Amino acid sequence: MNIKYYPVLKTSVSELRALKQIKSEDFNYVIPIFELTKSRKSKNNQGGDVYKKVDELSSIMNNKPFILDLTGEESLTNEQIESFFDDNNSFYNWTEFVRRIIEEKGVKVIPTILAYEDSEKHTLQQQAKRLNKYCDTLCIRLSVDLVCDEITQILIELASELDDVIVIIDLGLTRQNEYKIKLSDAKDLLEDILAIDDSLDIVCIASSFPSSVVQEVSKKEKMSSEIQMYSRDIYEELRKVDSELIYGDYACIHPFRGESRPMVWIPRIDFPYKNKLAFERCSRDDGGYQECARRMRLSKEYENNYVDCWGVNEINSAAVGIVNGKSPSYWISVRSNIHMSRMIKLTIDSNLKLQESVSNF
């Protein structure tokens, strides 16, 4: 068994840039869960054509498999994506889109089965049957917020009927104030799945990256501090229920984009490590990103949790005056790349331990 890491990524510029910079050999240990968004508008692409976005995914993944889902955020969608949510004829538009990108683009896609809270099982079975004509493996994504809803039971039953399926338990945003409730709901959902079929491949995903880092700390710590992250803790707790549970997360990014709006921002560099995230902020007048990077490199957390990746190289470069990005979007990519690289390293280590245990058996 080759364990994989499952990061959820919107197909935005910052998130795809973070993934592009993952080492080529590390792609053997990662299966991204892409939430398809519209592509960037341009003179020749006024509608934000999603097929252009698929071309970009194909280029990044280089014939490696990935899970494909759709964004539900209004600011990131367009008429094409909205049409895929149409449940007429068992989500025909979605299944036809999947067929086209496989036949025309040659991508190795694992499509997510779309469902509404009032979807009937027959409709979902027909959707799955049609998708299985083009794909061997399908994905079912279950929100813990719907753990008691009938649709969740229907989807679990459907998963048990499929030959090859990845089931995702999605806790969404989980900060300290909702940790216990979300974890309890996730345990209930996991136990419900195992009761019906304990042979399924199950992935747990969560995000604990807040919408505002500075709101998580006291006033005196707003320029330099650290915050707690919970995704690994959640995973370790759920592994007590299912030791074969697979780890995923939101790639150290807040799950919801929200509407973009003009704002005054202070340069900030983040460094995710273990179950924490350190950050440094500095106004442009006082040195901006270069000063943030310089301070970060001096910290014990940075020194003791070094990981060899593009994101760390960008911090090192900025610290000596070569600042390759001067927007928050760029440094989101840096943070996410460091986090994903670290999670992939943990995944590789887990695979080595598994191989050793099998060899010693």
Side-chain angles (χ1 to χ4, degrees):
M1 180 181 178
N2 188 13
I3 303 169
K4 309 279 188 178
Y5 162 55
Y6 290 75
V8 180
L9 297 160
K10 288 181 173 59
T11 57
S12 67
V13 172
S14 57
E15 286 160 270
L16 292 187
R17 177 167 48 214
L19 186 66
K20 280 179 190 175
Q21 299 296 339
I22 294 293
K23 295 177 181 178
S24 59
E25 62 269 25
D26 286 351
F27 274 89
N28 293 319
Y29 299 94
V30 60
I31 296 184
I33 304 166
F34 290 122
E35 294 183 345
L36 188 63
T37 63
K38 63 185 177 183
S39 58
R40 180 175 283 182
K41 290 184 179 181
S42 65
K43 182 179 179 181
N44 298 318
N45 183 30
Q46 289 296 313
D49 185 11
V50 294
Y51 286 94
K52 292 185 179 297
K53 189 63 74 172
V54 173
D55 287 336
E56 190 174 1
L57 298 183
S58 177
S59 175
I60 294 170
M61 294 308 298
N62 193 25
N63 211 33
K64 295 286 195 304
F66 61 88
I67 293 171
L68 190 62
D69 201 352
L70 300 174
T71 181
E73 291 198 50
E74 191 173 339
S75 62
L76 300 175
T77 191
N78 61 8
E79 288 185 4
Q80 277 180 308
I81 294 174
E82 289 171 3
S83 75
F84 300 151
F85 282 112
D86 186 344
D87 61 355
N88 282 330
N89 194 13
S90 302
F91 292 90
Y92 177 81
N93 291 345
W94 170 239
T95 59
E96 185 63 9
F97 171 70
V98 171
R99 180 193 67 78
R100 283 192 61 186
I101 64 174
I102 290 172
E103 293 182 355
E104 297 174 14
K105 310 289 186 182
V107 291
K108 286 191 175 180
V109 63
I110 301 169
T112 301
I113 293 176
L114 301 184
Y116 289 109
E117 291 180 42
D118 60 352
S119 292
E120 296 180 355
K121 186 175 181 179
H122 175 72
T123 298
L124 304 182
Q125 287 173 322
Q126 288 299 109
Q127 180 189 170
K129 182 178 180 181
R130 197 177 295 137
L131 289 171
N132 264 152
K133 291 180 181 178
Y134 326 118
C135 317
D136 293 331
T137 309
L138 304 181
C139 173
I140 290 179
R141 190 170 174 181
L142 304 172
S143 169
V144 298
D145 295 333
L146 302 177
V147 64
C148 295
D149 288 25
E150 184 182 2
I151 187 59
T152 299
Q153 190 66 21
I154 289 173
L155 286 167
I156 295 172
E157 291 173 0
L158 177 60
S160 70
E161 297 170 4
L162 298 172
D163 291 333
D164 195 354
V165 62
I166 297 168
V167 178
I168 296 172
I169 295 177
D170 187 356
L171 286 84
L173 180 64
T174 308
R175 292 296 300 161
Q176 186 176 12
N177 60 334
E178 60 221 338
Y179 179 92
K180 289 183 179 179
I181 295 173
K182 288 277 186 101
L183 180 59
S184 176
D185 287 343
K187 284 182 177 178
D188 290 344
L189 181 51
L190 180 55
E191 287 169 353
D192 288 346
I193 297 169
L194 295 173
I196 291 178
D197 190 341
D198 61 4
S199 67
L200 293 170
D201 290 333
I202 308 172
V203 180
C204 151
I205 61 172
S207 170
S208 53
F209 194 88
S211 58
S212 171
V213 167
V214 295
Q215 289 180 4
E216 299 290 319
V217 298
S218 65
K219 189 174 181 179
K220 66 180 181 180
E221 295 180 314
K222 289 189 183 297
M223 301 305 286
S224 176
S225 190
E226 64 181 27
I227 61 172
Q228 190 73 30
M229 306 295 277
Y230 300 99
S231 297
R232 292 294 305 187
D233 290 340
I234 290 168
Y235 170 67
E236 293 300 336
E237 285 296 318
L238 291 176
R239 280 193 71 216
K240 295 175 183 177
V241 178
D242 179 10
S243 62
E244 296 184 0
L245 188 68
I246 304 166
Y247 178 77
D249 56 34
Y250 279 80
C252 207
I253 293 176
H254 190 67
F256 310 112
R257 178 63 51 83
E259 294 289 342
S260 59
R261 60 187 187 279
M263 60 182 294
V264 177
W265 48 271
I266 296 174
R268 189 187 88 224
I269 290 179
D270 303 325
F271 182 68
Y273 69 100
K274 294 182 179 177
N275 293 328
K276 294 185 179 180
L277 178 124
F279 69 87
E280 295 288 343
R281 299 171 76 223
C282 183
S283 68
R284 285 181 278 281
D285 291 341
D286 292 329
Y289 284 115
Q290 181 176 351
E291 181 61 15
C292 290
R294 188 190 71 81
R295 292 178 190 170
M296 188 65 77
R297 284 188 70 189
L298 292 174
S299 71
K300 284 292 183 183
E301 291 81 6
Y302 189 81
E303 180 183 348
N304 295 336
N305 297 280
Y306 192 88
V307 59
D308 181 21
C309 65
W310 170 81
V312 165
N313 292 339
E314 288 301 291
I315 294 177
N316 293 341
S317 175
V320 295
I322 305 171
V323 182
N324 294 318
K326 296 184 178 181
S327 70
S329 171
Y330 190 86
W331 292 95
I332 288 173
S333 302
V334 168
R335 177 184 74 230
S336 184
N337 177 266
I338 294 170
H339 173 78
M340 286 192 287
S341 297
R342 197 181 300 283
M343 294 303 104
I344 291 169
K345 185 178 184 303
L346 286 175
T347 303
I348 293 171
D349 291 345
S350 295
N351 277 295
L352 289 174
K353 289 178 183 177
L354 185 62
Q355 290 170 10
E356 287 174 4
S357 64
V358 171
S359 299
N360 295 331
F361 182 71

